[in-house]
Amino acid sequence: MSTADSGPWWRGAVIYQVYPRSFADGDGDGIGDIAGIRSRLTHLAALGIDAIWFSPWYPSPMADAGYDVADYRDIDPVFGTLAEAEALVAEAHALGIRTIVDVVPNHCSAAHPWFQAALAGGPDAPERELFWFRPGRGPNGDQRPTDWVGEFGGETWTRTVNPDGTPGDWYLHLFAPEQPDFNWDHPRVRAEFEDILRFWFDRGVDGIRIDSAGLLVKDGTLPETLPDRPHPFRDLDGVHEIYRAWRRVADEYPGDRALIGEVWLPDRQRFANYLRPDELHAAFNFDFLGCAWDAAALRESIDATLRAHAPVGAPATWVLSNHDVTRHVTRYGRTDTTFSFAAKREGIPTDLELGTRRARAAALLSLALPGAAYVYQGEELGLWEVEDIPYELRQDPMWERSGRVDPGRDGCRVPLPWSGDAPPFGFSPDGAAAPPWLPQPADWKDRTVRAQTGCPHSMLELYRAAIALRRAEPALGDGTLAWLPTPDRVLAFGREPGFACLVNLSEAAVPLPDHDRLLLASAPVDDLLPPDTAVWLRTR
């Protein structure tokens, strides 16, 4: 990155998210693994990224695609071994690529030894204090302790059965029943996770991505969720003490180890609290991810993001897609180009050609903004959301827990296409024993890495060129911007020295401003900038 000499790497890095199950399959079982990732590191090096963020790869029953962790200090056999993970970290470092691992602190798997001991030991088991076990309401205790609604929708309490077969207490799970929530009021939980951080930092990882970072602390009085009261489990003040302790752990290590939070909060000031100098280094910018393809809305999102980060001195992050949301090629091809889980439904008409054109422009916009940029695997290939996965093949619990209203997240998790004219498109080795764990569209034959490599107008070559320029340009990466005057529905900003980005979100072509040279364009450009097109300009 261009700002490598002016501050810590995480302030201006391009970070690539690998969803291991869907990146590359090395052993032919239809599931991506560490061997597959290692075999494709050259692709990531050629892309020019600064770091890889790995979604969870820990031992897990996979009730929620690995976010139900049974052991935070090992690798699930479906992905490989701990020794392979250590080798991957070392090989990435040799290519100049840092590594970030996912830690899931809000909950664990029901198969975790602590939770198994809590169940086996009955009501008096000391391990129950590490979770949220509570008696039920009503004369027989057969009513849930609260009526809280889960993060996947549905109920948040499951009743246990005592060792003698009688009905027992209930335990809390903000996600699936197979994901019991930890009790972060207990010092043993806090000490355990600080040790987990050290375990991975000792193995050379450069950062920790924190799943559901704002949910850890709960109100122990278990109040119901009401509009006029503080929320009982989202963004409670006590969570900041946890991250101050984590920051002290990270600061024990050399090399600017980073803590990066998944923080979904509409209140920007509350969001910024996680980024104070003694807490997390960065957090994902979901406001920008969910923003409409609209000049005024995007400018407001960018301005508000930079305003929120400035007082705490933290870098902004810019995210277009991830493993939880509808891919932006699809979103940008719809009448409503925003994203929210509440509005996610099947059968929404999509113009993929329009979505792709806008996604190309959005790539140049996001990579030109001040701060760090995140690229979700397949984004660089222009992949769209796969929306016709047969019901019987869907695996995301969100699909069932929403009453089959929310289509779930499988559509953005379909295995990547690498080469060839038909599935599995090089995702698995020749002669693989099993098909990919989710079906790939036949139309992806034009979206493979091999098909796009060397094609000057492909999405892949656009990303390669943009990331290379970002690394070379002293104006890009961390820093500031200044808005430039433009016609309505056009965004333009300058960054010093001598760089400008212009994005036309209107329905008519607009003249390019005075400039010395066109550095990069998301679509062919002459003296006019077409609609849904972005350019990078040398201004002097």
Side-chain angles (χ1 to χ4, degrees), residues 302-303 306 318 368-370 479-484 492-496:
I302 293 165
D303 280 342
L306 296 177
W318 309 103
L369 290 168
T480 60
L481 64 73
W483 292 106
L484 304 175
F493 56 87
R495 302 197 60 192
E496 293 299 332

Side-chain angles (χ1 to χ4, degrees), residues 268 287 291 294-307 483 491:
R268 293 187 174 99
D287 183 81
C291 190
D294 173 84
L298 283 167
R299 179 163 176 167
E300 168 56 25
S301 178
I302 293 165
D303 280 342
T305 296
L306 296 177
R307 282 197 304 269
W483 292 106
L491 291 177

Side-chain angles (χ1 to χ4, degrees), residues 249-260:
V249 172
D251 288 347
E252 294 172 6
Y253 288 83
D256 294 317
R257 310 298 174 101
L259 302 174
I260 303 161

Side-chain angles (χ1 to χ4, degrees), residues 341 344-345 394 398-400 402-409:
F341 286 107
K344 190 178 181 188
R345 296 293 182 267
R394 298 187 184 189
M398 190 176 282
W399 158 244
E400 291 290 353
S402 68
R404 298 192 170 189
V405 172
D406 187 319
R409 299 162 295 178

